Amino acid sequence: MRECIMGVMARAIETDPLQVFNYYVLDLPLPSIIPVAFPFKTGEGLTEKRLLSFKSISLPTMDMQVKEIQEGNWPFKHKVPMGFVTTGDVTIRSAVPPLSMDFYLWFHQVVYGKFGPRRNLTVVQTRADKLTPRRVILLEGCWPVSWKPGGDFDADSSEVSIEELTLSVHRVEVVPGDPT
């Protein structure tokens, strides 16, 4: 039986909703010919023994193409699936350190058609310990469609400059993680 502390019921970890600040983005290279999307962040992560970190990543929507059907003289229309799915875009935001070149390099790979610009990214939602995967979202066939090199400049502000990279995503897959 769960204990009640000061009127608040304890929650089980396996049934808690996932929290949006516990995540990592993994940049997994394809076999030797295609480089990673974020070489500077990957190198920094390897030397500091940590995974890639970003301020935020917006996940794409998936929409099914539907057709509206009117049957005979029935007064109500209904929709049926047509079988085609479109996937929305992903936007990754990151603070701009002095040697930030990852977003720029990947965007220019697409512009000049170098190195096969499509990459597969993996977003891992973790438990509060930031170690145990609770859910894995695979973003397949990503490539940049827009890039903003930093925040707008304002002499009255002390905010950190944030760059943005918007990616087209071919397909999204969700894999459950460890439920315990």
Side-chain angles (χ1 to χ4, degrees):
M1 185 168 175
R2 294 185 180 164
E3 295 180 22
C4 184
I5 301 172
M6 295 176 32
V8 177
M9 185 69 121
R11 300 181 312 193
I13 291 173
E14 62 274 359
T15 58
D16 265 357
L18 297 173
Q19 296 174 331
V20 297
F21 65 87
N22 290 331
Y23 75 95
Y24 291 108
V25 177
L26 302 176
D27 178 11
L28 305 173
L30 295 175
S32 72
I33 45 174
I34 296 181
V36 293
F38 309 110
F40 289 94
K41 272 192 173 295
T42 301
E44 178 183 284
L46 290 173
T47 59
E48 295 179 14
K49 295 184 174 129
R50 64 180 174 81
L51 297 173
L52 296 179
S53 59
F54 295 95
K55 178 188 181 301
S56 66
I57 180 169
S58 65
L59 295 177
T61 59
M62 291 182 67
D63 298 307
M64 172 85 56
Q65 183 181 12
V66 296
K67 183 175 183 179
E68 203 168 63
I69 302 290
Q70 172 76 41
E71 293 186 55
N73 63 354
W74 184 250
F76 301 100
K77 293 181 180 182
H78 66 274
K79 294 179 182 176
V80 295
M82 294 299 292
F84 298 104
V85 176
T86 57
T87 305
D89 292 341
V90 166
T91 300
I92 299 177
R93 292 173 188 85
S94 181
V96 181
L99 297 177
S100 178
M101 294 292 291
D102 289 327
F103 289 2
Y104 169 80
L105 289 174
W106 192 10
F107 187 77
H108 276 78
Q109 285 177 0
V110 174
V111 170
Y112 297 109
K114 295 181 178 181
F115 308 116
R118 292 187 186 270
R119 306 287 185 270
N120 296 328
L121 301 177
T122 303
V123 179
V124 181
Q125 284 182 284
T126 66
R127 286 182 32 189
D129 64 6
K130 297 208 182 248
L131 297 172
T132 309
R134 295 294 303 273
R135 187 172 185 228
V136 176
I137 302 165
L138 306 170
L139 306 174
E140 298 177 12
C142 300
W143 58 278
V145 293
S146 75
W147 169 60
K148 183 176 180 184
D152 296 332
F153 296 114
D154 180 358
D156 293 330
S157 176
S158 62
E159 292 180 11
V160 171
S161 187
I162 303 290
E163 66 179 329
E164 295 181 4
L165 188 68
T166 301
L167 309 171
S168 172
V169 178
H170 176 69
R171 192 170 115 175
V172 177
E173 293 288 329
V174 177
V175 178
D178 182 7
T180 60

